[in-house]
Amino acid sequence: MKNVPGWSDFDPSSITIKQLCEGLSNQAYAVSVSDAISPKTGQRVAQRVLFRVYGKQVSKLYDPKAELHIFDTLSKYRIAPELIGTGDGWRIEEWHYAVAVPCALMNNSSILCQVASNLGRMHKLHRRQDFPNDIPRDPVMELRLKKWGKGALEISESCTSDMVKGMGLERVVSEEVPWLTHWLLSHASSVSGQGLDVVFCHNDLQENNLLQTQYGLRMIDFEYSAFNYQACDIANYFCEFTMDYVSETSYPFYLVDKTAFPGLDDQRLFCAVYLSEYLETPIRISDSAYIQPLLQNVERFTMVSHLTWALWSIVRAEGDEALNSMPNFNEFNFSLYGKHRLDMYFRTKADLTAKEDATQQMTMTNDQEALRARVEALEQTAKGVTQPAAVLGISTIVCALALVGTYFGTRQLRK
């Protein structure tokens, strides 16, 4: 009681505590006193606060000290809730009188635009002169894939769960993680706003971390906030359209609906609003030169979302009954959730690589057909010029055609 200003004036019997079941990384409690007015001073006090207890395994998922530093910074910016008190393994936060955004409303244009605008502003925070210089600027994507992958592999080797052992985590960590990183960065672009800008990201934007308040939409829960590729943050948000952690009231207490992934119109609307804020210039839905490159990278980074949270789930399940294929924290089965996300990763990989292979094949075919048409045109032209000149022109084009074929053939082999 002494950690919340004014609460020491109340009798301990006036305090009520309610555990909240939404969080998966920490345990959170709504703690309230009977009145918003101090019985001794008559001054207004916070009638309710959020008491957060860090989970047992959080140090394997993120650095609690770094997370507190980031939370304190965002609190001072009035982005995160006010930090009221903190101690070893816990903290007290301002309570937002609000309701979480349910999955069913994630594609509402009002919600979509507010999230896009908020995310665009967040991705510019590091430009502030007072933004801390001691927050690491390297993209956290690669670090987490390796760290969480190592942790998940260690758990799979020591647990008895057939489901976890059947995930093939050794191959995932040794092959998929390095392949994914290389594949994503092979599409690198130096043009700002195309998805590969390294910016300060939320990294866990989903229904439980978005609140509808009387003063607009608010983001909460910044445990995983760090610098990352901007497309990674947007892609994760789009993937969360398909994950419902609230509506399902029976085991395993979450739903997966792949058809809920935002449609192209919603994606373009989101990107137009986001880029208008991020680039600080009006971007329309029809501005494909700006929107399309970002959307292409967002689509690719959906694989990161699936693989990252699959590995996270196995690490999070350590010590829980989930590793024996039984329900655990509030009946949420982390290992089963990890299996679903890993399945979604491999399905997405198959779809995207097939799509890009088809695009490359079409490009190669079109280039070869264009060169053949040019050769035929030169052959027709050659009838009106001297024979040596005609032969020289045709030979040049034929050599170019051969070089293009060799280039694309080599490119296919490298894949």
Side-chain angles (χ1 to χ4, degrees):
M1 293 179 67
K2 65 181 181 180
N3 292 289
V4 182
W7 278 28
S8 59
D9 298 341
F10 290 83
D11 186 276
S13 63
S14 67
I15 294 181
T16 58
I17 301 174
K18 178 183 178 182
Q19 183 175 9
L20 306 175
C21 300
E22 288 83 358
L24 297 180
S25 295
N26 302 300
Q27 294 184 33
Y29 302 84
V31 185
S32 308
V33 289
S34 57
D35 200 342
I37 303 298
S38 167
K40 292 184 178 181
T41 65
Q43 299 294 317
R44 180 170 290 277
V45 298
Q47 190 172 1
R48 180 178 295 178
V49 296
L50 180 75
F51 181 62
R52 186 184 301 275
V53 180
Y54 304 136
K56 296 179 181 179
Q57 308 298 330
V58 294
S59 60
K60 295 187 177 182
L61 298 169
Y62 60 83
D63 182 348
K65 292 183 179 179
E67 186 272 338
L68 181 60
H69 178 38
I70 288 174
F71 183 88
D72 187 38
T73 299
L74 297 179
S75 179
K76 292 174 181 176
Y77 292 165
R78 299 302 298 160
I79 295 174
E82 178 186 355
L83 179 60
I84 298 173
T86 184
D88 185 19
W90 61 268
R91 72 167 175 254
I92 302 172
E93 305 171 15
E94 169 193 12
W95 179 268
H96 281 309
Y97 288 90
V99 294
V101 177
C103 257
L105 291 182
M106 296 263 277
N107 64 352
N108 181 289
S109 296
S110 173
I111 301 296
L112 204 66
C113 290
Q114 288 183 78
V115 175
S117 183
N118 284 344
L119 204 59
R121 284 193 291 273
M122 187 176 193
H123 287 179
K124 297 187 295 182
L125 282 180
H126 63 285
R127 302 176 190 172
R128 292 178 57 135
Q129 292 185 347
D130 62 346
F131 192 85
N133 292 321
D134 56 349
I135 297 178
R137 302 288 177 119
D138 293 329
V140 76
M141 176 194 79
E142 299 169 58
L143 174 65
R144 285 181 178 163
L145 284 172
K146 292 178 181 178
K147 181 179 180 179
W148 294 356
K150 180 181 178 182
L153 184 58
E154 290 174 353
I155 291 171
S156 72
E157 292 173 346
S158 60
C159 76
T160 59
S161 169
D162 291 337
M163 179 168 58
V164 173
K165 289 185 175 297
M167 291 182 187
L169 290 175
E170 183 175 358
R171 184 177 74 83
V172 169
V173 173
S174 63
E175 298 179 18
E176 293 300 326
V177 169
W179 174 86
L180 179 60
T181 302
H182 178 268
W183 185 75
L184 290 170
L185 299 185
S186 67
H187 299 88
S189 168
S190 60
V191 179
S192 180
Q194 292 194 350
L196 292 177
D197 297 7
V198 178
V199 297
F200 186 73
C201 294
H202 187 284
N203 292 317
D204 187 22
L205 209 53
Q206 41 103 340
E207 60 176 347
N208 286 323
N209 294 340
L210 290 169
L211 298 182
Q212 299 179 81
T213 73
Q214 293 181 341
Y215 40 90
L217 202 72
R218 294 292 297 267
M219 296 185 291
I220 61 169
D221 289 359
F222 300 93
E223 292 96 329
Y224 300 101
S225 294
F227 278 84
N228 211 348
Y229 301 105
Q230 65 187 155
C232 198
D233 217 8
I234 299 172
N236 184 73
Y237 175 61
F238 285 176
C239 287
E240 291 295 345
F241 278 58
T242 67
M243 311 301 300
D244 188 339
Y245 309 106
V246 176
S247 299
E248 184 56 45
T249 58
S250 59
Y251 180 81
F253 293 89
Y254 68 89
L255 289 173
V256 179
D257 181 5
K258 298 170 190 175
T259 65
F261 195 90
L264 185 57
D265 289 344
D266 286 341
Q267 292 182 46
R268 293 183 68 89
L269 173 62
F270 182 95
C271 288
V273 175
Y274 168 83
L275 288 172
S276 295
E277 177 65 48
Y278 179 74
L279 297 177
E280 300 179 353
T281 189
I283 303 295
R284 310 300 178 194
I285 296 177
S286 57
D287 291 336
S288 294
Y290 288 92
I291 292 175
Q292 197 58 33
L294 176 58
L295 277 182
Q296 288 175 344
N297 278 316
V298 167
E299 184 179 41
R300 294 171 183 134
F301 272 87
T302 56
M303 285 196 291
V304 177
S305 175
H306 294 313
L307 186 55
T308 298
W309 294 118
L311 298 173
W312 170 90
S313 298
I314 303 306
V315 176
R316 178 61 183 82
E318 183 179 12
D320 291 330
E321 292 179 348
L323 288 176
N324 297 316
S325 302
M326 295 291 290
N328 59 334
F329 177 76
N330 291 316
E331 307 301 324
F332 192 95
N333 191 319
F334 288 97
S335 54
L336 180 62
Y337 178 76
K339 183 179 185 303
H340 280 157
R341 293 305 293 258
L342 190 60
D343 288 345
M344 294 171 76
Y345 163 78
F346 280 114
R347 289 193 185 98
T348 304
K349 176 185 178 181
D351 291 342
L352 291 186
T353 52
K355 178 180 177 181
E356 297 209 356
D357 285 348
T359 300
Q360 291 177 357
Q361 184 63 40
M362 183 177 296
T363 300
M364 179 177 66
T365 301
N366 291 341
D367 288 346
Q368 290 178 336
E369 289 179 353
L371 281 170
R372 288 193 184 97
R374 181 59 177 159
V375 169
E376 292 174 0
L378 284 173
E379 287 176 344
Q380 294 298 321
T381 304
K383 295 179 179 179
V385 298
T386 59
Q387 185 175 359
V391 171
L392 179 61
I394 295 171
S395 299
T396 300
I397 298 301
V398 170
C399 288
L401 182 61
L403 286 173
V404 169
T406 301
Y407 166 75
F408 281 104
T410 304
R411 190 173 181 180
Q412 292 292 95
L413 287 173
R414 286 177 179 172
K415 294 176 61 183

